[in-house]
Amino acid sequence: MNSFTLTIPRTIKQTLDELGSTKGGPARIKAGGIDVLDLMKEGIEQPGRLINIRQLDEKPHALREISEVKADAIPEGVWRLLPGGDNGNPPPRRDCLRIGTLTTLAELSHSPLLQSKAAALSESASLIATPQIRQVATLGGNLLQRPRCWYFRSAEYPCAKKGGSVCFARDGENDFHAIFDNQPCCAVHPSGTAVALAALDAVLALQTPQGERFARLSSFLVSPSQPGGAIGRENRLEEDMILKNIWIPSPGPGEQSLYRKVKHKQSFDWPLAEVAISLRRGLTGNKAPEAVRIILGSVAPVPYRARSAEAALLQSPSFDAERIRKIGQAAVSGATPLSRNGYKVQLVSGLVQQAVAELLL
Amino acid sequence: MSKGDPNVSTEGSESMSGPDASSGLSRRSFLLHTGGAASAAALLTVPVAESVAATAPNQAATPPAQVLGPGAIAATLLVNGKPQKVMMEPRDTLATVLRDKLGLTGTKIGCDRGGCGACTVWVAGEPTLSCLMLALDVAGLPGREPQAITTVEGLGKGVAMHPLQTAFVEKDALQCGYCTSGMLMSCAALYERAKAEGKLATISDGDVRAAIAGNLCRCGAYPHIVDATLSAAKGGAK
């Protein structure tokens, strides 16, 4: 690992001041450190300064907290980005869950509040990595970690994501790479919590030197092919910002969510495929689905919203094995698998069917 | 606890105290005496923590950000109940400081990337990977108490082994032994947590498998490791 200066700020303001300072070279934020230290050991990143926010917990920002906030106390920037607004009208105010980005994955897994009100998030956190890593790894770090493409992670391959000109995975060992949106980079997004949070319509609170900013997770994460995207990055976090809290609308009546992951090795492993679904069902009659998000993970450079599958689900008058099979097929429509990952098409289709069946049968 | 407290000893500090270490000739002490002079010297010349470029916390105003390194600074690690001042660079991981500076070589480094669990120690009682933890993250600094680190050397009390260690021997829960200290730390944490909750008798096969999900054993001793943990739990529950 390269030599560096470790700065320990005591406030968010000090953190931003340190980020903005150019003295001592470029700085990198470290929280749990799981991904940053891995990247530094490989020589992929060699920051001269690490800004260690691991112990930062400044009231009232609640960087390490899971709480429920009443509708009338939700910041305007958050509720305007919640779902449900249309034709220029803002969405209705509603209670929200607020999660500090320094909350550990173990805390997300064990939180009774999340288990009951954001099951997809707590399930995704509980399936990430190992008990030891979940003890230290933070929600913010999980969202902002760099992709696991082995060409990107090896200093010996000057791949396009690292500023080179070639994607080595495209014609190489691409078994675990993207089956959607896989040009010019086919690395998949590495965050399990991002898949769950996308299904839960999460809004991010970011602190910048100019003040607090808010963004939907679905627009914050950006693939190289999308407007504002770039091959060298996975999100819109600027160098002078930090990710502070995540807001999720609390579930209303008839709303539920789940997260499912397929992995090769069952004790712990990176996912082969993931799905998170949030669903709102009617409260009367046959309780027909009224709204749904189906988000696929480990299939694209960012969590992938399977809109065709959502439409198929909402249009289905009733649910049986055949109709659920059609939803699974719709989930992978338009897939463009690479030379070695065609199996993912079948796998994702099956995973979506399994998850939909769990929710609706 | 003062320096030289006869009730407190660590294998490492003894073996690094000089050529008269009384533990006889082992592979470890031979290597230390022939090649480990530099790290031994580092341990013996520890400047005081106050020389660190940091400002003491002020009750009234927010103190400035602490800036440490990039060179080595002195900080206190609380290892197996004993506070020890050690010189460490910001880039030093807890695993390397435990092994190379404190001589606590029971903690192993396998992949050094968080993938194998060999380096598992307890931080505040919870199994944690020492290879992905900066030593300064758990060290005491001006204005901050050190976090309690427990390594495999601190699992038992003196010569009395922890019930898990005894069970690992009885159930032949290892072959090459490289994963053993990490396995022990994960299994013993499960044991201690259940013991504190009075639930030792209810530890299941699945609980043990979940507890060691982050520890790889390439010899494949898993069934015996699970057996040993269940056996220790059964014994402890009596």
Side-chain angles (χ1 to χ4, degrees):
Chain A
M1 213 186 318
N2 64 286
S3 183
F4 57 86
T5 302
L6 187 69
T7 302
I8 307 176
R10 297 167 204 269
T11 62
I12 289 174
K13 180 171 186 314
Q14 285 180 359
T15 307
L16 295 178
D17 289 347
E18 287 294 331
L19 271 179
S21 159
T22 52
K23 201 178 143 199
R28 181 74 150 86
I29 292 277
K30 170 194 160 300
I34 301 292
D35 195 44
V36 174
L37 297 185
D38 192 350
L39 290 162
M40 290 172 69
K41 285 182 179 189
E42 290 296 336
I44 307 298
E45 294 193 17
Q46 299 180 318
R49 293 184 294 144
L50 269 195
I51 302 172
N52 194 7
I53 59 169
R54 185 164 185 263
Q55 275 102 1
L56 189 64
D57 196 3
E58 185 191 0
K59 303 288 180 203
H61 299 296
L63 294 178
R64 191 169 177 178
E65 183 196 77
I66 304 167
S67 60
E68 190 161 31
V69 180
K70 289 289 167 204
D72 55 8
I74 306 298
E76 183 174 338
V78 171
W79 71 261
R80 284 187 176 276
L81 295 176
L82 294 178
D86 50 13
N87 301 328
N89 297 320
R93 280 184 179 271
R94 57 192 290 186
D95 296 354
C96 283
L97 301 165
R98 183 184 63 188
I99 307 162
T101 47
L102 290 179
T103 307
T104 66
L105 300 182
E107 288 161 347
L108 297 179
S109 310
H110 299 139
S111 160
L113 185 60
L114 293 186
Q115 285 166 358
S116 69
K117 299 205 169 185
L121 179 58
S122 114
E123 286 164 359
S124 72
S126 72
L127 291 169
I128 291 166
T130 68
Q132 293 98 316
I133 287 176
R134 291 194 294 274
Q135 194 61 36
V136 173
T138 63
L139 175 58
N142 186 261
L143 288 172
L144 298 175
Q145 67 187 307
R146 305 303 310 277
R148 302 301 309 183
C149 169
W150 36 39
Y151 298 105
F152 171 68
R153 289 273 168 173
S154 169
E156 291 168 15
Y157 287 88
C159 80
K161 198 176 226 344
K162 295 201 292 278
S165 55
V166 181
C167 172
F168 294 94
R170 173 146 294 281
D171 298 310
E173 309 225 348
N174 49 40
D175 309 40
F176 305 117
H177 290 70
I179 57 170
F180 293 104
D181 191 12
N182 45 15
Q183 301 249 30
C185 172
C186 55
V188 298
H189 199 269
S191 168
T193 58
V195 179
L197 287 170
L200 294 166
D201 289 313
V203 174
L204 313 183
L206 301 141
Q207 190 70 40
T208 79
Q210 291 77 39
E212 204 170 20
R213 298 281 182 272
F214 301 95
R216 289 194 182 102
L217 178 74
S218 54
S219 62
F220 175 77
L221 300 179
V222 58
S223 91
S225 71
Q226 290 170 336
I231 195 162
R233 57 194 296 187
E234 296 80 53
N235 55 61
R236 297 176 193 269
L237 190 79
E238 299 297 334
E239 283 173 1
D240 59 355
M241 297 177 177
I242 63 164
L243 187 53
K244 212 166 61 175
N245 313 106
I246 314 284
W247 296 80
I248 307 169
S250 295
E255 291 184 356
Q256 64 186 122
S257 68
L258 62 61
Y259 168 92
R260 294 292 179 265
K261 162 177 168 176
V262 182
K263 49 191 170 177
H264 192 181
K265 176 160 59 69
Q266 297 310 301
S267 57
F268 74 90
D269 213 337
W270 293 96
L272 300 172
E274 306 157 271
V275 65
I277 303 181
S278 70
L279 177 71
R280 188 179 80 231
R281 306 184 73 168
L283 299 175
T284 56
N286 64 354
K287 298 186 176 172
E290 294 176 347
V292 68
R293 292 268 188 282
I294 300 178
I295 310 291
L296 309 178
S298 303
V299 299
V302 291
Y304 180 84
R305 186 169 170 193
R307 290 177 189 272
S308 309
E310 292 176 0
L313 188 148
L314 291 176
Q315 286 157 14
S316 196
S318 63
F319 296 95
D320 55 23
E322 179 54 26
R323 289 197 170 94
I324 286 177
R325 198 172 64 80
K326 289 223 162 66
I327 296 168
Q329 285 173 341
V332 291
S333 63
T336 54
L338 303 165
S339 57
R340 297 169 61 117
N341 67 3
Y343 74 95
K344 277 198 180 187
V345 177
Q346 285 287 331
L347 190 67
V348 170
S349 174
L351 179 64
V352 169
Q353 291 175 53
Q354 182 195 319
V356 170
E358 275 190 63
L359 281 172
L360 289 171
L361 290 189
Chain B
M1 226 174 290
S2 66
K3 205 170 180 180
D5 183 343
N7 297 315
V8 180
S9 73
T10 58
E11 192 189 349
S13 56
E14 273 174 17
S15 61
M16 273 204 271
S17 61
D20 62 344
S22 56
S23 57
L25 185 64
S26 66
R27 183 181 66 93
R28 184 75 59 193
S29 59
F30 175 78
L31 288 173
L32 279 171
H33 294 152
T34 53
S39 59
L43 190 69
L44 296 173
T45 55
V46 177
V48 292
E50 283 64 36
S51 68
V52 173
T55 314
N58 181 320
Q59 298 284 334
T62 306
Q66 257 176 322
V67 181
L68 308 171
I73 55 158
T76 304
L77 282 184
L78 178 56
V79 184
N80 300 328
K82 182 183 177 185
Q84 305 191 59
K85 257 182 196 167
V86 195
M87 292 299 291
M88 56 182 85
E89 289 184 40
R91 64 175 161 175
D92 289 338
T93 63
L94 179 58
T96 58
V97 172
L98 288 171
R99 290 179 53 84
D100 302 342
K101 305 260 171 81
L102 297 178
L104 295 172
T105 50
T107 300
K108 304 301 181 196
I109 297 176
C111 67
D112 203 25
R113 296 291 187 281
C116 76
C119 68
T120 302
V121 300
W122 293 350
V123 174
E126 291 291 343
T128 304
L129 299 174
S130 59
C131 81
L132 286 185
M133 177 68 72
L134 295 182
L136 279 172
D137 254 338
V138 293
L141 293 165
R144 195 182 81 195
E145 292 296 309
Q147 287 191 277
I149 308 300
T150 307
T151 68
V152 71
E153 289 89 346
L155 204 50
K157 289 188 170 62
V159 293
M161 291 198 289
H162 187 278
L164 249 302
Q165 291 171 307
T166 308
F168 265 52
V169 173
E170 283 173 357
K171 296 291 180 183
D172 195 19
L174 57 137
Q175 287 183 46
C176 83
Y178 203 81
C179 76
T180 306
S181 54
M183 284 284 182
L184 277 169
M185 298 316 286
S186 288
C187 293
L190 173 72
Y191 178 98
E192 293 298 334
R193 201 176 303 127
K195 190 179 170 189
E197 295 170 0
K199 292 180 179 168
L200 269 181
T202 67
I203 289 183
S204 69
D205 184 278
D207 293 336
V208 182
R209 288 173 189 276
I212 61 170
N215 294 80
L216 296 183
C217 169
R218 293 298 77 177
C219 303
Y222 298 108
H224 289 202
I225 291 165
V226 174
D227 276 358
T229 309
L230 292 174
S231 159
K234 206 174 157 193
K238 277 177 187 166

